[in-house]
Structure formats: structure tokens, C-alpha cells
Amino acid sequence: MIAHELVLAHSSNDNGRGKMFQFAFLLFHAAISADMANSISATCNRAMKLYGVVPKSEGQMQYLRFLSAYNESLDFWLLTAVINEEAHVLVSADDENDFRKDLFSQRMEFYVKNPNIGGCAEGGRTERKAQYRSKESLDFTRRYLSYSDINRYIDYLGRKYADMVTVTNVGKSYEGRTLKTVTIGQSQQSKTILIDAGIHAREWIAPATALYVINRLVQHANENRDLLSNLTWIILPLVNPDGYEYSFKSNKFWRKTRQPYGRCIGTDGNRNFNFHWGEKGASKYECVNTFAGPRPFSEPETQTVRDLLLAKNDTIKFYLSLHSYGRMLLYPWGYKKDLPRKWRNMDVVARAGASAMKRSHRVDYRVGGAAKVLYEAAGASDDYAIAVAKIPIAITMELPGDERGFHPVESKISIFIQEAFTGIRAMALKMMEIQV
């Protein structure tokens, strides 16, 4: 074991011929991997390690990007566009030797961040079931709720606060689960904020944050009157219920939807939107986590988000998509490193959120264009919102994780969702102030 010990490999060079050979080598191995169809996220795995890898050059960064796009046996949790910034990669025991050899061949620094990660979701289920039977079964600040309990909570709000809350069935998932929005506000002429969460199944902290926003606006309305005056909120707390339930009950690290394609299951919903679909950062291989789908809007879940964006695009002024992990506030473009013509309004709104969280919680959120800060990823919902739906402000909020990645320990849920609400509140008020 090499936990917390940096390792530097000892071969290769960075010239053009070397890169061409590396990429051809990777394609060969990707083809073998695809034939085996053994994606790390296909089934839960009890023997995995989380690696930290530090790219020291543009060539090494490209190598990691190529691995993330074509090698389905690796699961990249974090990979930014910044050289010398650590990438996080989940590797199964079966693939560890090959992975380490590849890193050695590229002279890349790496270490084991967590030597014992299990993807199977049995842990804590007995305890959670006992908690669900208690009177606090819908307390999303202390535990992650199942799909059915998320719906129980928002249906309860719709009944008890019918004067200010409307719960609407807006679509069905591939497996037939209902997608519900919560609309909060009374003014028909007001500006609208649209929030969604959980398009990536394993990012459990995102739906928890969406529920907390709903809770603050409805059950603590008196404390947030400034967010309800001339402002309507439409919140879709769970875009991908099929994937979420599979992640919740079977494989914690499942990311995609659950519609089968070829040898594998699921599409990356945030690569499935019809704006520069299938370009950089989106895979054409159905077993890879960033599979863009066979065509734009192949998934009923992304069709639902599209329809929400287009149906009210005359009143929606701010679209916010909640993801994890890594504290970031990102805005288009995602498909390229250039910025939209009116990027400054998005930057002002995002920085207002980051500043508020810094002041109140002493946390640092990185702000900037998605492709500049994180990576190029075409076919994302925020790019579509700006380019096609003509929403003036679109921001992706990457919420924090911990040593477990996308589903922080339950004792941290309340800390992270309160932190996020502080930022969301500040962004909403700034959006109103600048009169977009």
C-alpha cells in the first residue's frame, strides 16, 4: 500500500510521436475494455481504491482526459483543467496493476487517497430503515432520503402549504417513476428561478440541497420574504430517479440513467442535451460514464428538463443545476473554453454566492467558465439553457464531498446544505438586483 506517499514513475517523454503512440495504445486497451464490458460502475464492487493523480504537464493532462473518456474500467471523480491540481480516480482491485503501470509509463505522480472503498450500498441500510420508521423519517438534514420519501415530503408540503406551493408531475423516468416539481410563489408576473438536482445519480448531496432550499422557502418563509417577493421558484429535486434509486440501493457510484443501450445501461444526462451534443467531453461508448446517448434527448429525464426550460423561458431568469463534488460555481460555456457574450452577469451572480459562503462559512468556491475551470463537456444542460432556451443566467453548483466522495457522511449533510443555501440565497438576490 502506498497511501499518502507520492510516487513518480520513470519513463517516457512528452514529444509528439510519444503522444500519438500513447493515444493509439489507449485506444487498443479501450477496445479490449469495451469488449469485456466491465465498467467500474456497472455493478457494485467491494474492493476499490481512490487514487490521487497529479498531472504536471499538458501532455499528462491530456492523457488523463483520454483515460476518462475511453477507459470504462476507471471512474474519474474529479478532473479539473488545472495542471498540478490533483485528479481523483476510483480503481478496482482487478484494474489497479494496469492503472499503476500506465501512470508509471507517463511519469505521473500518484498516491492512494482511500485504500478501502466499497461501492455496494448495503452499509447503513438497516440503520436507515429503522430511522425511516421513526417520526423523523423525512428529516433530510440528517440522512439521505429515498425516491419515495422525497416524494412523500414534497407531497406533504403541497397539501399543508397549498396557498404557496404547487406540486406538479412533469414527466416520467424510463422505469416509470414520476418526476415532480415544487413551484413556490404566488405572483404570475414574477421572475422565475429554475433549480434541478440529481441528474447524476450518485450525487446524493444535490437532491438533499434542493430539498433544503424548498424547506427554507416554504416552512421558513418568514425568514426569507426577500426571496419570495416578485420571485417564483420552480425546483425539480430529482431529475434521475431511476439512477438515484439504483445508486441508493445497489451501487453507490452509479452515475447515469437506467435505459439500456447495447451491452450496457444508461446515459450521462448532462451530456444528452442538444447543443454541441457529442463533442468534447462526451463519449460515444455506451459503457463509459460520460456516454452522451445515441442521440440528443434520448432520455425521458432530459426531455423533462428541456421542456421546463422552454415552457417558461420568457420568465425564467436564472437556471441553477446542483451537482457534486468540489466547491465550484461554473457557468457556460462547457463545450469550449470561450465565454458567452453576456458572461459578466453570470460571473457577478456566481461571485455573490461564493462571497456569501466565504463570509458565513469560511469556505472557498471557485468561480468561472465550466470548460476553463473544470473541463470541456459538451451537451450539458446549462449550455442548452443559455444557447437554446435563452435563459440569461445559468450556473452549475458543484457541492462539496468528503473522503467518501459524492455522498458525504450523514453527519455532514446539514453543514453542506446550509452552506449551499447561503450561496443560493445570495445569488438569487444578486440576480434580482442586476435586473436581468
Side-chain angles (χ1 to χ4, degrees), residues 65-123:
R65 295 224 172 282
F66 201 84
L67 281 175
S68 70
Y70 292 101
N71 193 328
E72 66 193 53
S73 66
L74 302 175
D75 187 359
F76 280 76
W77 287 9
L78 182 65
L79 180 58
T80 73
V82 182
I83 293 172
N84 291 318
E85 190 160 278
E86 186 175 286
H88 298 166
V89 191
L90 188 66
V91 184
S92 70
D94 291 341
D95 297 298
E96 185 178 15
N97 285 340
D98 286 342
F99 177 65
R100 289 170 66 99
K101 287 178 183 177
D102 282 348
L103 296 183
F104 271 111
S105 75
Q106 302 306 309
R107 297 181 56 81
M108 298 187 73
E109 293 182 358
F110 62 90
Y111 71 103
V112 176
K113 286 182 66 68
N114 189 332
N116 185 24
I117 292 184
C120 302
E122 290 91 344

Short mmCIF file of all heavy atoms in Angstrom, two decimals, residues 65-123:
data_model
loop_
_atom_site.label_atom_id
_atom_site.label_comp_id
_atom_site.label_asym_id
_atom_site.label_seq_id
_atom_site.Cartn_x
_atom_site.Cartn_y
_atom_site.Cartn_z
N ARG A 65 -7.35 12.90 -19.51
CA ARG A 65 -8.63 13.16 -20.17
C ARG A 65 -9.00 12.02 -21.12
O ARG A 65 -10.16 11.63 -21.23
CB ARG A 65 -8.56 14.48 -20.94
CG ARG A 65 -8.36 15.66 -20.04
CD ARG A 65 -9.25 16.84 -20.41
NE ARG A 65 -9.15 17.87 -19.41
CZ ARG A 65 -9.77 17.84 -18.24
NH1 ARG A 65 -10.55 16.83 -17.95
NH2 ARG A 65 -9.62 18.80 -17.35
N PHE A 66 -7.99 11.51 -21.80
CA PHE A 66 -8.23 10.40 -22.72
C PHE A 66 -8.68 9.17 -21.95
O PHE A 66 -9.62 8.47 -22.34
CB PHE A 66 -6.97 10.12 -23.53
CG PHE A 66 -7.23 9.36 -24.79
CD1 PHE A 66 -7.62 10.01 -25.95
CD2 PHE A 66 -7.08 7.99 -24.82
CE1 PHE A 66 -7.87 9.31 -27.11
CE2 PHE A 66 -7.33 7.27 -25.98
CZ PHE A 66 -7.72 7.94 -27.14
N LEU A 67 -8.02 8.88 -20.83
CA LEU A 67 -8.42 7.76 -19.99
C LEU A 67 -9.87 7.93 -19.52
O LEU A 67 -10.65 6.97 -19.52
CB LEU A 67 -7.50 7.64 -18.78
CG LEU A 67 -6.13 6.99 -18.97
CD1 LEU A 67 -5.34 7.08 -17.67
CD2 LEU A 67 -6.26 5.54 -19.41
N SER A 68 -10.22 9.14 -19.10
CA SER A 68 -11.56 9.36 -18.58
C SER A 68 -12.63 9.16 -19.65
O SER A 68 -13.75 8.75 -19.36
CB SER A 68 -11.68 10.76 -17.98
OG SER A 68 -11.66 11.76 -18.98
N ALA A 69 -12.27 9.44 -20.91
CA ALA A 69 -13.24 9.33 -22.00
C ALA A 69 -13.38 7.93 -22.56
O ALA A 69 -14.45 7.54 -23.05
CB ALA A 69 -12.86 10.30 -23.13
N TYR A 70 -12.30 7.13 -22.48
CA TYR A 70 -12.30 5.86 -23.20
C TYR A 70 -12.12 4.62 -22.32
O TYR A 70 -12.42 3.51 -22.78
CB TYR A 70 -11.21 5.87 -24.27
CG TYR A 70 -11.50 6.83 -25.39
CD1 TYR A 70 -10.89 8.07 -25.44
CD2 TYR A 70 -12.41 6.51 -26.39
CE1 TYR A 70 -11.16 8.97 -26.46
CE2 TYR A 70 -12.69 7.39 -27.41
CZ TYR A 70 -12.07 8.62 -27.44
OH TYR A 70 -12.35 9.50 -28.45
N ASN A 71 -11.61 4.78 -21.14
CA ASN A 71 -11.36 3.60 -20.31
C ASN A 71 -12.47 3.43 -19.30
O ASN A 71 -12.51 4.08 -18.25
CB ASN A 71 -10.00 3.73 -19.61
CG ASN A 71 -9.57 2.41 -18.99
OD1 ASN A 71 -10.40 1.61 -18.56
ND2 ASN A 71 -8.27 2.17 -18.96
N GLU A 72 -13.41 2.55 -19.60
CA GLU A 72 -14.58 2.40 -18.75
C GLU A 72 -14.28 1.70 -17.43
O GLU A 72 -15.14 1.67 -16.54
CB GLU A 72 -15.66 1.61 -19.50
CG GLU A 72 -15.27 0.18 -19.78
CD GLU A 72 -16.20 -0.47 -20.79
OE1 GLU A 72 -16.39 0.09 -21.87
OE2 GLU A 72 -16.74 -1.54 -20.47
N SER A 73 -13.10 1.14 -17.28
CA SER A 73 -12.75 0.49 -16.03
C SER A 73 -12.28 1.46 -14.97
O SER A 73 -12.04 1.07 -13.82
CB SER A 73 -11.67 -0.58 -16.27
OG SER A 73 -10.46 0.02 -16.66
N LEU A 74 -12.15 2.75 -15.33
CA LEU A 74 -11.73 3.78 -14.39
C LEU A 74 -12.89 4.76 -14.18
O LEU A 74 -13.63 5.07 -15.10
CB LEU A 74 -10.51 4.54 -14.91
CG LEU A 74 -9.27 3.70 -15.22
CD1 LEU A 74 -8.19 4.58 -15.84
CD2 LEU A 74 -8.75 3.01 -13.96
N ASP A 75 -13.01 5.25 -12.96
CA ASP A 75 -14.08 6.19 -12.63
C ASP A 75 -13.45 7.48 -12.11
O ASP A 75 -12.95 7.53 -10.99
CB ASP A 75 -14.99 5.57 -11.57
CG ASP A 75 -16.22 6.41 -11.30
OD1 ASP A 75 -16.36 7.48 -11.92
OD2 ASP A 75 -17.04 6.00 -10.46
N PHE A 76 -13.45 8.51 -12.96
CA PHE A 76 -12.86 9.79 -12.58
C PHE A 76 -13.87 10.60 -11.78
O PHE A 76 -14.90 11.01 -12.30
CB PHE A 76 -12.41 10.56 -13.82
CG PHE A 76 -11.09 10.10 -14.37
CD1 PHE A 76 -11.00 8.91 -15.10
CD2 PHE A 76 -9.94 10.84 -14.17
CE1 PHE A 76 -9.78 8.47 -15.60
CE2 PHE A 76 -8.73 10.41 -14.67
CZ PHE A 76 -8.64 9.23 -15.37
N TRP A 77 -13.56 10.83 -10.52
CA TRP A 77 -14.44 11.61 -9.66
C TRP A 77 -14.18 13.10 -9.80
O TRP A 77 -15.09 13.91 -9.72
CB TRP A 77 -14.23 11.22 -8.20
CG TRP A 77 -14.81 9.89 -7.84
CD1 TRP A 77 -15.33 8.95 -8.67
CD2 TRP A 77 -14.93 9.37 -6.51
NE1 TRP A 77 -15.75 7.87 -7.96
CE2 TRP A 77 -15.51 8.09 -6.64
CE3 TRP A 77 -14.57 9.84 -5.25
CZ2 TRP A 77 -15.77 7.29 -5.53
CZ3 TRP A 77 -14.82 9.04 -4.16
CH2 TRP A 77 -15.43 7.78 -4.30
N LEU A 78 -12.93 13.46 -10.00
CA LEU A 78 -12.57 14.88 -10.10
C LEU A 78 -11.40 15.01 -11.06
O LEU A 78 -10.38 14.34 -10.90
CB LEU A 78 -12.17 15.44 -8.73
CG LEU A 78 -11.82 16.94 -8.67
CD1 LEU A 78 -13.04 17.79 -9.00
CD2 LEU A 78 -11.28 17.31 -7.31
N LEU A 79 -11.58 15.88 -12.06
CA LEU A 79 -10.51 16.15 -13.01
C LEU A 79 -10.73 17.56 -13.53
O LEU A 79 -11.62 17.80 -14.35
CB LEU A 79 -10.52 15.13 -14.15
CG LEU A 79 -9.44 15.30 -15.23
CD1 LEU A 79 -8.04 15.26 -14.64
CD2 LEU A 79 -9.60 14.23 -16.31
N THR A 80 -9.94 18.51 -13.04
CA THR A 80 -10.10 19.89 -13.46
C THR A 80 -9.20 20.18 -14.65
O THR A 80 -8.49 19.30 -15.15
CB THR A 80 -9.76 20.86 -12.31
OG1 THR A 80 -8.34 20.88 -12.12
CG2 THR A 80 -10.44 20.46 -11.02
N ALA A 81 -9.22 21.42 -15.10
CA ALA A 81 -8.38 21.84 -16.23
C ALA A 81 -7.06 22.42 -15.76
O ALA A 81 -6.30 22.96 -16.57
CB ALA A 81 -9.13 22.88 -17.06
N VAL A 82 -6.75 22.29 -14.49
CA VAL A 82 -5.59 22.97 -13.91
C VAL A 82 -4.43 21.99 -13.73
O VAL A 82 -4.56 20.99 -13.02
CB VAL A 82 -5.95 23.61 -12.56
CG1 VAL A 82 -4.75 24.35 -11.98
CG2 VAL A 82 -7.14 24.55 -12.71
N ILE A 83 -3.32 22.28 -14.38
CA ILE A 83 -2.10 21.48 -14.20
C ILE A 83 -1.62 21.62 -12.76
O ILE A 83 -1.72 22.68 -12.15
CB ILE A 83 -1.02 21.92 -15.20
CG1 ILE A 83 -1.47 21.56 -16.63
CG2 ILE A 83 0.32 21.28 -14.90
CD1 ILE A 83 -0.57 22.12 -17.71
N ASN A 84 -1.13 20.54 -12.21
CA ASN A 84 -0.67 20.44 -10.82
C ASN A 84 -1.81 20.33 -9.82
O ASN A 84 -1.57 20.33 -8.61
CB ASN A 84 0.24 21.61 -10.41
CG ASN A 84 1.58 21.56 -11.10
OD1 ASN A 84 2.17 20.49 -11.23
ND2 ASN A 84 2.06 22.70 -11.55
N GLU A 85 -3.04 20.24 -10.31
CA GLU A 85 -4.17 20.05 -9.40
C GLU A 85 -4.59 18.58 -9.43
O GLU A 85 -4.75 17.98 -10.48
CB GLU A 85 -5.34 20.94 -9.80
CG GLU A 85 -6.44 20.96 -8.76
CD GLU A 85 -7.34 22.18 -8.93
OE1 GLU A 85 -6.97 23.27 -8.44
OE2 GLU A 85 -8.39 22.03 -9.56
N GLU A 86 -4.77 18.04 -8.26
CA GLU A 86 -4.96 16.60 -8.11
C GLU A 86 -6.27 16.11 -8.74
O GLU A 86 -7.34 16.69 -8.51
CB GLU A 86 -4.95 16.28 -6.62
CG GLU A 86 -5.00 14.81 -6.27
CD GLU A 86 -4.85 14.62 -4.77
OE1 GLU A 86 -3.72 14.78 -4.26
OE2 GLU A 86 -5.87 14.33 -4.10
N ALA A 87 -6.18 15.05 -9.52
CA ALA A 87 -7.35 14.34 -10.02
C ALA A 87 -7.65 13.17 -9.08
O ALA A 87 -6.74 12.62 -8.46
CB ALA A 87 -7.09 13.82 -11.43
N HIS A 88 -8.92 12.80 -8.99
CA HIS A 88 -9.33 11.68 -8.15
C HIS A 88 -9.92 10.59 -9.04
O HIS A 88 -10.83 10.85 -9.82
CB HIS A 88 -10.37 12.12 -7.12
CG HIS A 88 -9.87 13.17 -6.17
ND1 HIS A 88 -10.70 13.91 -5.36
CD2 HIS A 88 -8.61 13.60 -5.90
CE1 HIS A 88 -9.97 14.74 -4.63
NE2 HIS A 88 -8.70 14.57 -4.95
N VAL A 89 -9.38 9.38 -8.91
CA VAL A 89 -9.78 8.28 -9.78
C VAL A 89 -10.07 7.05 -8.93
O VAL A 89 -9.22 6.63 -8.12
CB VAL A 89 -8.67 7.93 -10.80
CG1 VAL A 89 -9.21 6.96 -11.85
CG2 VAL A 89 -8.11 9.19 -11.45
N LEU A 90 -11.24 6.47 -9.12
CA LEU A 90 -11.62 5.24 -8.42
C LEU A 90 -11.20 4.05 -9.28
O LEU A 90 -11.53 3.97 -10.47
CB LEU A 90 -13.12 5.21 -8.18
CG LEU A 90 -13.65 4.07 -7.30
CD1 LEU A 90 -13.14 4.22 -5.87
CD2 LEU A 90 -15.18 4.05 -7.31
N VAL A 91 -10.48 3.11 -8.67
CA VAL A 91 -9.90 1.97 -9.40
C VAL A 91 -10.22 0.69 -8.65
O VAL A 91 -10.04 0.60 -7.43
CB VAL A 91 -8.37 2.13 -9.52
CG1 VAL A 91 -7.79 1.01 -10.38
CG2 VAL A 91 -8.01 3.49 -10.11
N SER A 92 -10.70 -0.31 -9.38
CA SER A 92 -10.98 -1.60 -8.75
C SER A 92 -9.69 -2.39 -8.57
O SER A 92 -8.68 -2.13 -9.24
CB SER A 92 -11.96 -2.41 -9.62
OG SER A 92 -11.33 -2.85 -10.80
N ALA A 93 -9.74 -3.37 -7.70
CA ALA A 93 -8.55 -4.21 -7.45
C ALA A 93 -8.11 -4.92 -8.72
O ALA A 93 -6.90 -5.09 -8.96
CB ALA A 93 -8.86 -5.21 -6.35
N ASP A 94 -9.05 -5.31 -9.56
CA ASP A 94 -8.72 -6.03 -10.79
C ASP A 94 -7.93 -5.16 -11.77
O ASP A 94 -7.16 -5.68 -12.58
CB ASP A 94 -9.99 -6.54 -11.47
CG ASP A 94 -10.67 -7.64 -10.69
OD1 ASP A 94 -9.99 -8.26 -9.83
OD2 ASP A 94 -11.87 -7.87 -10.91
N ASP A 95 -8.16 -3.87 -11.72
CA ASP A 95 -7.55 -2.96 -12.70
C ASP A 95 -6.39 -2.16 -12.13
O ASP A 95 -5.75 -1.39 -12.85
CB ASP A 95 -8.61 -1.98 -13.23
CG ASP A 95 -9.71 -2.70 -13.96
OD1 ASP A 95 -9.42 -3.35 -14.97
OD2 ASP A 95 -10.87 -2.63 -13.50
N GLU A 96 -6.09 -2.35 -10.86
CA GLU A 96 -5.11 -1.49 -10.21
C GLU A 96 -3.70 -1.62 -10.79
O GLU A 96 -3.02 -0.62 -11.04
CB GLU A 96 -5.07 -1.78 -8.71
CG GLU A 96 -4.16 -0.84 -7.94
CD GLU A 96 -4.16 -1.11 -6.45
OE1 GLU A 96 -4.63 -2.20 -6.04
OE2 GLU A 96 -3.66 -0.25 -5.70
N ASN A 97 -3.26 -2.84 -11.05
CA ASN A 97 -1.91 -3.02 -11.58
C ASN A 97 -1.73 -2.34 -12.93
O ASN A 97 -0.73 -1.66 -13.19
CB ASN A 97 -1.57 -4.51 -11.69
CG ASN A 97 -1.28 -5.12 -10.33
OD1 ASN A 97 -0.97 -4.42 -9.37
ND2 ASN A 97 -1.41 -6.45 -10.24
N ASP A 98 -2.71 -2.53 -13.83
CA ASP A 98 -2.63 -1.89 -15.15
C ASP A 98 -2.66 -0.37 -15.02
O ASP A 98 -1.94 0.35 -15.74
CB ASP A 98 -3.79 -2.35 -16.04
CG ASP A 98 -3.60 -3.78 -16.53
OD1 ASP A 98 -2.47 -4.29 -16.48
OD2 ASP A 98 -4.61 -4.39 -16.94
N PHE A 99 -3.48 0.12 -14.13
CA PHE A 99 -3.58 1.57 -13.93
C PHE A 99 -2.25 2.14 -13.45
O PHE A 99 -1.75 3.15 -13.98
CB PHE A 99 -4.69 1.86 -12.91
CG PHE A 99 -4.84 3.31 -12.57
CD1 PHE A 99 -5.23 4.24 -13.51
CD2 PHE A 99 -4.60 3.75 -11.27
CE1 PHE A 99 -5.38 5.59 -13.18
CE2 PHE A 99 -4.75 5.08 -10.93
CZ PHE A 99 -5.14 6.01 -11.88
N ARG A 100 -1.64 1.49 -12.48
CA ARG A 100 -0.36 1.98 -11.97
C ARG A 100 0.72 1.91 -13.05
O ARG A 100 1.56 2.82 -13.16
CB ARG A 100 0.04 1.17 -10.74
CG ARG A 100 -0.82 1.45 -9.52
CD ARG A 100 -0.54 0.46 -8.39
NE ARG A 100 0.79 0.61 -7.88
CZ ARG A 100 1.11 1.29 -6.78
NH1 ARG A 100 0.18 1.89 -6.07
NH2 ARG A 100 2.36 1.36 -6.36
N LYS A 101 0.72 0.85 -13.86
CA LYS A 101 1.70 0.75 -14.94
C LYS A 101 1.53 1.91 -15.92
O LYS A 101 2.51 2.48 -16.42
CB LYS A 101 1.54 -0.58 -15.67
CG LYS A 101 2.04 -1.79 -14.88
CD LYS A 101 1.80 -3.07 -15.65
CE LYS A 101 2.22 -4.29 -14.84
NZ LYS A 101 1.91 -5.55 -15.55
N ASP A 102 0.27 2.24 -16.24
CA ASP A 102 0.02 3.35 -17.15
C ASP A 102 0.57 4.66 -16.57
O ASP A 102 1.18 5.47 -17.29
CB ASP A 102 -1.48 3.49 -17.42
CG ASP A 102 -2.00 2.46 -18.40
OD1 ASP A 102 -1.18 1.80 -19.05
OD2 ASP A 102 -3.23 2.33 -18.51
N LEU A 103 0.34 4.87 -15.29
CA LEU A 103 0.83 6.11 -14.67
C LEU A 103 2.36 6.15 -14.64
O LEU A 103 2.96 7.20 -14.89
CB LEU A 103 0.26 6.24 -13.26
CG LEU A 103 -1.26 6.38 -13.15
CD1 LEU A 103 -1.68 6.58 -11.70
CD2 LEU A 103 -1.77 7.55 -14.00
N PHE A 104 2.96 5.01 -14.32
CA PHE A 104 4.42 4.95 -14.35
C PHE A 104 4.95 5.27 -15.74
O PHE A 104 5.94 5.99 -15.90
CB PHE A 104 4.90 3.56 -13.92
CG PHE A 104 5.11 3.41 -12.44
CD1 PHE A 104 4.28 2.60 -11.70
CD2 PHE A 104 6.15 4.08 -11.80
CE1 PHE A 104 4.46 2.46 -10.34
CE2 PHE A 104 6.34 3.94 -10.43
CZ PHE A 104 5.49 3.13 -9.69
N SER A 105 4.28 4.76 -16.76
CA SER A 105 4.76 4.97 -18.13
C SER A 105 4.73 6.44 -18.52
O SER A 105 5.47 6.87 -19.39
CB SER A 105 3.93 4.15 -19.12
OG SER A 105 2.66 4.74 -19.32
N GLN A 106 3.86 7.21 -17.85
CA GLN A 106 3.74 8.63 -18.16
C GLN A 106 4.48 9.51 -17.15
O GLN A 106 4.34 10.73 -17.20
CB GLN A 106 2.26 9.03 -18.19
CG GLN A 106 1.42 8.24 -19.18
CD GLN A 106 2.00 8.29 -20.57
OE1 GLN A 106 2.29 9.38 -21.07
NE2 GLN A 106 2.19 7.14 -21.19
N ARG A 107 5.23 8.89 -16.25
CA ARG A 107 5.97 9.63 -15.21
C ARG A 107 5.05 10.52 -14.38
O ARG A 107 5.35 11.68 -14.10
CB ARG A 107 7.08 10.48 -15.85
CG ARG A 107 8.16 9.66 -16.57
CD ARG A 107 9.25 10.54 -17.16
NE ARG A 107 9.89 11.40 -16.15
CZ ARG A 107 10.85 10.99 -15.32
NH1 ARG A 107 11.29 9.75 -15.38
NH2 ARG A 107 11.37 11.83 -14.45
N MET A 108 3.92 9.98 -13.98
CA MET A 108 2.93 10.76 -13.26
C MET A 108 2.99 10.48 -11.76
O MET A 108 3.15 9.34 -11.34
CB MET A 108 1.52 10.48 -13.80
CG MET A 108 1.37 10.86 -15.26
SD MET A 108 -0.31 10.71 -15.87
CE MET A 108 -1.06 12.11 -15.09
N GLU A 109 2.83 11.52 -10.98
CA GLU A 109 2.78 11.38 -9.53
C GLU A 109 1.40 10.89 -9.10
O GLU A 109 0.38 11.37 -9.60
CB GLU A 109 3.07 12.72 -8.86
CG GLU A 109 4.50 13.22 -9.05
CD GLU A 109 4.74 14.53 -8.32
OE1 GLU A 109 3.78 15.05 -7.70
OE2 GLU A 109 5.87 15.02 -8.37
N PHE A 110 1.38 9.95 -8.17
CA PHE A 110 0.10 9.45 -7.69
C PHE A 110 0.25 8.89 -6.29
O PHE A 110 1.35 8.59 -5.83
CB PHE A 110 -0.46 8.38 -8.63
CG PHE A 110 0.41 7.15 -8.77
CD1 PHE A 110 0.25 6.05 -7.93
CD2 PHE A 110 1.37 7.08 -9.77
CE1 PHE A 110 1.03 4.92 -8.07
CE2 PHE A 110 2.16 5.95 -9.91
CZ PHE A 110 1.99 4.86 -9.06
N TYR A 111 -0.86 8.77 -5.60
CA TYR A 111 -0.88 8.15 -4.28
C TYR A 111 -2.29 7.63 -4.01
O TYR A 111 -3.23 7.96 -4.75
CB TYR A 111 -0.45 9.13 -3.19
CG TYR A 111 -1.45 10.22 -2.88
CD1 TYR A 111 -2.25 10.16 -1.74
CD2 TYR A 111 -1.58 11.33 -3.71
CE1 TYR A 111 -3.16 11.16 -1.45
CE2 TYR A 111 -2.48 12.33 -3.42
CZ TYR A 111 -3.28 12.24 -2.29
OH TYR A 111 -4.17 13.24 -2.01
N VAL A 112 -2.44 6.81 -3.02
CA VAL A 112 -3.74 6.27 -2.66
C VAL A 112 -4.38 7.18 -1.62
O VAL A 112 -3.87 7.34 -0.51
CB VAL A 112 -3.61 4.83 -2.10
CG1 VAL A 112 -4.97 4.32 -1.64
CG2 VAL A 112 -3.04 3.91 -3.17
N LYS A 113 -5.50 7.78 -1.98
CA LYS A 113 -6.21 8.66 -1.05
C LYS A 113 -7.03 7.86 -0.05
O LYS A 113 -7.13 8.21 1.12
CB LYS A 113 -7.15 9.61 -1.82
CG LYS A 113 -6.47 10.72 -2.57
CD LYS A 113 -7.48 11.61 -3.25
CE LYS A 113 -8.34 12.38 -2.29
NZ LYS A 113 -7.59 13.40 -1.52
N ASN A 114 -7.67 6.83 -0.55
CA ASN A 114 -8.52 5.99 0.31
C ASN A 114 -8.33 4.54 -0.15
O ASN A 114 -8.71 4.19 -1.27
CB ASN A 114 -9.99 6.40 0.20
CG ASN A 114 -10.87 5.70 1.22
OD1 ASN A 114 -10.58 4.60 1.65
ND2 ASN A 114 -11.97 6.35 1.59
N PRO A 115 -7.74 3.68 0.68
CA PRO A 115 -7.41 2.33 0.24
C PRO A 115 -8.55 1.33 0.33
O PRO A 115 -8.40 0.19 -0.07
CB PRO A 115 -6.29 1.94 1.22
CG PRO A 115 -6.65 2.66 2.47
CD PRO A 115 -7.24 3.98 2.03
N ASN A 116 -9.70 1.76 0.83
CA ASN A 116 -10.77 0.78 1.09
C ASN A 116 -12.13 1.42 0.85
O ASN A 116 -12.77 1.93 1.78
CB ASN A 116 -10.66 0.26 2.52
CG ASN A 116 -11.67 -0.83 2.80
OD1 ASN A 116 -12.14 -1.50 1.89
ND2 ASN A 116 -12.02 -1.00 4.07
N ILE A 117 -12.56 1.42 -0.40
CA ILE A 117 -13.86 1.98 -0.76
C ILE A 117 -14.73 0.86 -1.32
O ILE A 117 -14.32 0.13 -2.22
CB ILE A 117 -13.71 3.10 -1.80
CG1 ILE A 117 -13.01 4.29 -1.17
CG2 ILE A 117 -15.08 3.52 -2.34
CD1 ILE A 117 -12.91 5.49 -2.07
N GLY A 118 -15.91 0.73 -0.78
CA GLY A 118 -16.87 -0.25 -1.29
C GLY A 118 -18.01 0.44 -1.99
O GLY A 118 -18.54 1.44 -1.50
N GLY A 119 -18.41 -0.08 -3.15
CA GLY A 119 -19.48 0.54 -3.91
C GLY A 119 -20.85 -0.02 -3.61
O GLY A 119 -21.86 0.56 -3.98
N CYS A 120 -20.92 -1.17 -2.92
CA CYS A 120 -22.20 -1.79 -2.63
C CYS A 120 -22.91 -0.98 -1.55
O CYS A 120 -22.30 -0.51 -0.60
CB CYS A 120 -22.02 -3.24 -2.20
SG CYS A 120 -21.16 -4.23 -3.44
N ALA A 121 -24.21 -0.86 -1.69
CA ALA A 121 -24.96 0.08 -0.85
C ALA A 121 -25.60 -0.56 0.37
O ALA A 121 -26.53 -0.01 0.92
CB ALA A 121 -26.03 0.77 -1.70
N GLU A 122 -25.11 -1.73 0.80
CA GLU A 122 -25.73 -2.36 1.96
C GLU A 122 -25.44 -1.59 3.25
O GLU A 122 -26.23 -1.61 4.18
CB GLU A 122 -25.23 -3.79 2.16
CG GLU A 122 -25.73 -4.77 1.10
CD GLU A 122 -24.77 -4.86 -0.07
OE1 GLU A 122 -23.90 -3.97 -0.18
OE2 GLU A 122 -24.88 -5.80 -0.86
N GLY A 123 -24.26 -0.94 3.31
CA GLY A 123 -23.84 -0.29 4.55
C GLY A 123 -24.84 0.73 5.04
O GLY A 123 -25.22 1.65 4.33
#
